[in-house]
Amino acid sequence: MTSPDPNASTILIVDDQERNIQVVGTTLAAFGFDFMTANSGEQALERVRNRIPDLVLLDVLMPGMDGFEVCQAFHEISGMEGVPVIFLSADDEKNTVVRALEGGGVDFITKPFNKAELLARVRTHLELKHNRDRLKELLTSREKFVEVMAHDLKNWVGGANFGAKMLVEMKASLPEQAQKLSLTIDEASGKALEFIEEFLENTRSSRVDFELTRKRIDLAELCRESKSHCETSAAAKGIEIVLNVPEAAVFVDSDRVAVLRIVDNLLSNAVKFSPAGSRMALSLDQEPAVLTVEDSGPGFTDEDHEQLFQPYTRLSARPTGGEISTGLGLSVVKQLADLLELVIEVINTGRGARISVKF
């Protein structure tokens, strides 16, 4: 296992006892680590607002803000989300350790600590962080590459589709075989363009690493808006979307953009897999708040349930109107629901599928 370069890592030491800071700082400095210090929770927050560290060594018992409060406050500061926090404390009671780990700490070291143990844990968590950061960079680069390629493909396929349409329009002057071939090229390139368009849209919408803005939102109004977004595609297949929503507002604290994306994805997915001329429903229960989309499609098999929310997964059912499916819609729903701490329930009704989102 290759260790990260210590000189590339900065560690924040937070302790109200100057002697403890000196001991930890001397230990880290001896192995080439860069560090900064804070003797209170308030000072620690000031430090990280000016410079984001790679790791934090945090005392639990301090006057003013204790370690638990400081750790919670760290997570509300942009850039600190992925920074590991190791608690250092003389209080090794089981409840203290559990509270530290459940409160966002990645590790707990009891004072007085063994220097070799401290260094080993610091190196381990730094390496894990560097690996996570590197993986995030690689995924971002891959997404950008794929999107660029898709854009180029869109231009190339679009050119072929335009040429095919021109040939179809002048088919009267073409031999019979050329007419058939031009129709085939027009249909195939049109489907390819549709797939690329949906792929690009789903790739953009699958990026859920945005900053959530929680505020009071009206779910009833949001449901009516989402229904309007899907009415055109539903009408093209003769599908009726029944809206069962209270007339009065149904307020929850959540991110409006993220919730709207969840409902839009569930509705558009239901339209794709429902048979023409069928009926589907978007319902909202008030207490507790539960959004439900129910369709008349084929539902999900046992095998489908095992991979329902995996990206780019082809399930057993196919779109009923020849629509394109990239296999990203339900994956986006699950990622957003997890971020918002919502519960998703999927049930086969015998007449279709019912997916509920519980707030």
Side-chain angles (χ1 to χ4, degrees), residues 298-301 304 307 314-318:
F300 302 106
T301 66
D304 288 339
Q307 53 185 351
R314 293 296 181 92
L315 303 179
S316 58
R318 307 305 313 142

Side-chain angles (χ1 to χ4, degrees), residues 106-263:
V106 298
D107 210 338
F108 190 100
I109 300 176
T110 304
K111 297 177 184 177
F113 57 83
N114 178 281
K115 293 182 180 180
E117 179 187 4
L118 174 67
L119 286 168
R121 297 198 188 191
V122 164
R123 287 185 180 277
T124 295
H125 288 293
L126 280 174
E127 181 157 8
L128 288 172
K129 180 185 183 298
H130 281 281
N131 288 340
R132 287 194 300 270
D133 291 346
R134 178 59 180 155
L135 179 59
K136 186 176 180 179
E137 290 175 6
L138 290 172
L139 289 174
T140 301
S141 297
R142 188 200 67 173
E143 287 177 358
K144 288 181 179 177
F145 172 77
V146 169
E147 189 162 351
V148 168
M149 287 299 299
H151 274 293
D152 287 345
L153 282 172
K154 180 181 172 182
N155 290 333
W156 300 330
V157 175
N161 183 248
F162 177 78
K165 288 187 180 302
M166 294 293 291
L167 289 173
V168 170
E169 289 180 3
M170 55 185 290
K171 63 180 181 180
S173 61
L174 297 176
E176 183 179 351
Q177 186 63 22
Q179 292 180 29
K180 292 180 180 178
L181 289 173
S182 61
L183 286 170
T184 299
I185 296 171
D186 180 34
E187 182 179 352
S189 58
K191 286 289 185 184
L193 270 179
E194 186 182 345
F195 177 87
I196 294 169
E197 288 280 7
E198 180 156 338
F199 174 83
L200 288 171
E201 179 60 32
N202 282 333
T203 299
R204 296 185 194 104
S205 65
S206 67
R207 293 174 184 156
V208 295
D209 55 344
F210 56 86
E211 186 174 343
L212 295 176
T213 304
R214 292 180 182 273
K215 58 183 180 180
R216 198 172 186 231
I217 62 172
D218 180 6
L219 289 180
E221 178 199 7
L222 186 144
C223 285
R224 287 188 280 269
E225 181 179 340
S226 184
K227 176 178 180 288
S228 70
H229 292 169
C230 293
E231 281 183 329
T232 301
S233 57
K237 296 175 70 173
I239 295 174
E240 179 186 2
I241 303 177
V242 179
L243 191 64
N244 300 316
V245 173
E247 291 187 10
V250 178
F251 290 113
V252 296
D253 288 324
S254 196
D255 184 286
R256 191 180 194 283
V257 173
V259 175
L260 185 60
R261 281 171 61 182
I262 288 175
V263 184

